[in-house]
Amino acid sequence: MVVPFGTARATDWLPGRPIRLIVPYVAGGATDIAGRILAEAIAEPLKQPMVVENRGGAAGNIGGAYVANADPNGLTLLLGAVGLLTTNPFLYKNMGFSPAKDLTPISMVYTSDLVLVVRASHPAKTVQEFVALAKAKPGSMNFGSSGNGASTHTAMELFKLVAGIDVQHVPYRGSAAAFADLLGGHLQVIMVQVPTVVASIQSGDLRALVVTGERRNPALPDVPTMAEAGYKGADAMAWGGLLAPARTPRDIVQTISAATVLSLGKPDVKTRIANTGLDAVSSTPEAMAAYMDEETRKWERVVREAHITAD
């Protein structure tokens, strides 16, 4: 249960210094933007400033390890994404820490659907037609992602497993480069977060075939979900959550969680995050821990069955 503010106050345990929110990715990405909105919003209920600090590199491992090894006093927190928290442990022999053992979940922060897109000139008009083409000529098409183990990679690998198709992976350093090569004709398809491609879909440059969420995306109401298209079990979400070093006192975790829930529930904050294309969500520490465990087991299977490696 989240501790109400009348029960646990930030002033009882924070010595007046700012809280550092470590974003383990470069500035400007979805997680970074969500983190900055949260940092601004959470300062009021906590009565304590929060400062975002980017520590990118090694697919998030550098920033994650920094927080995992920080003092467990509530002054250094992590905003981690699904790849770092659930997939990296199976891709890297030594991450420098264990997300499950060395971090304590506080609250979910955001989620985002992914969408499978092709150029408007691609012969596939539906996801079923795309699968049929892929099965007719195995390995003849390729897809791009923002890097090995990223959600744009693993979600596509999950779809490949469910659909029984062979589409070759081309990793990039970020979704923008993969998106540019798709438009340039060097790739046949990409699986990417919805906000990245909505404008190109609406302009007619790209065609959306299927979304990965359990429900249709409001920005793409005419695009079916994986389940609706006949690929049950291929649903996937990009998401991010707030965590503290393990051994952080429970009352501190509960107080920050309560502040997060309160902040992300405010209409103006939800709107600001929605304007970035993400959905603001929050949770108890227990709910996030359960979801993280469920996602870890899911992506472990995909990494193993799809033979995904970090290289």
Side-chain angles (χ1 to χ4, degrees):
M1 177 180 291
V2 174
V3 176
F5 284 101
T7 303
R9 298 289 301 190
T11 51
D12 295 336
W13 46 267
L14 293 181
R17 290 181 288 149
I19 301 170
R20 289 191 300 162
L21 178 60
I22 305 301
V23 174
Y25 316 103
V26 297
T31 303
D32 176 67
I33 294 171
R36 294 178 187 278
I37 295 173
L38 174 64
E40 181 180 332
I42 206 172
E44 192 281 326
L46 280 182
K47 308 301 180 185
Q48 194 77 15
M50 179 179 284
V51 179
V52 174
E53 183 177 323
N54 296 92
R55 286 180 174 264
N61 292 347
I62 293 175
Y66 180 83
V67 175
N69 290 289
D71 289 336
N73 57 8
L75 293 177
T76 305
L77 306 177
L78 175 73
L79 183 54
V82 54
L84 169 63
L85 300 175
T86 70
T87 308
N88 283 11
F90 310 108
L91 296 178
Y92 295 89
K93 292 182 179 179
N94 183 13
M95 290 178 62
F97 74 106
S98 166
K101 296 179 180 178
D102 299 325
L103 295 172
T104 297
I106 296 175
S107 172
M108 294 287 290
V109 173
Y110 72 85
T111 61
S112 176
D113 290 339
L114 300 168
V115 58
L116 186 70
V117 294
V118 296
R119 294 188 309 282
S121 59
H122 195 281
K125 299 297 191 292
T126 67
V127 66
Q128 292 87 353
E129 291 181 1
F130 176 84
V131 169
L133 288 171
K135 287 184 174 181
K137 295 183 178 180
S140 63
M141 290 191 285
N142 55 30
F143 76 96
S145 78
S146 56
N148 286 313
S151 59
T152 52
H153 176 202
T154 55
M156 185 65 182
E157 294 292 353
L158 175 60
F159 172 58
K160 286 168 55 180
L161 290 171
V162 172
I165 57 176
D166 178 13
V167 182
Q168 299 300 304
H169 177 223
V170 181
Y172 289 79
R173 292 187 175 181
S175 293
F179 176 63
D181 269 5
L182 177 69
L183 289 175
H186 304 294
L187 297 171
Q188 282 71 56
V189 65
I190 58 173
M191 185 86 80
V192 67
Q193 290 188 32
V194 170
T196 306
V197 291
V198 164
S200 295
I201 294 170
Q202 293 173 342
S203 70
D205 293 327
L206 296 179
R207 179 182 301 121
L209 301 181
V210 67
V211 293
T212 63
E214 295 181 352
R215 300 174 182 82
R216 293 201 177 195
N217 189 284
L220 302 170
D222 297 326
V223 181
T225 65
M226 285 290 186
E228 289 174 333
Y231 305 102
K232 187 176 181 180
D235 53 294
M237 298 289 287
W239 57 267
L242 189 64
L243 306 99
R247 304 178 308 282
T248 299
R250 193 65 184 166
D251 60 337
I252 294 179
V253 171
Q254 294 282 20
T255 298
I256 299 174
S257 180
T260 303
V261 171
L262 179 64
S263 299
L264 294 178
K266 294 180 178 178
D268 62 319
V269 176
K270 292 177 73 71
T271 298
R272 289 179 63 193
I273 292 180
N275 287 341
T276 72
L278 305 175
D279 293 319
V281 298
S282 59
S283 69
T284 64
E286 295 79 9
M288 181 182 170
Y291 184 65
M292 186 171 155
D293 180 65
E294 177 185 342
E295 287 280 279
T296 298
R297 287 184 277 109
K298 173 180 179 177
W299 296 117
E300 178 186 14
R301 178 180 64 83
V302 174
V303 168
R304 182 179 66 254
E305 295 183 8
H307 307 290
I308 301 173
T309 65
D311 299 323

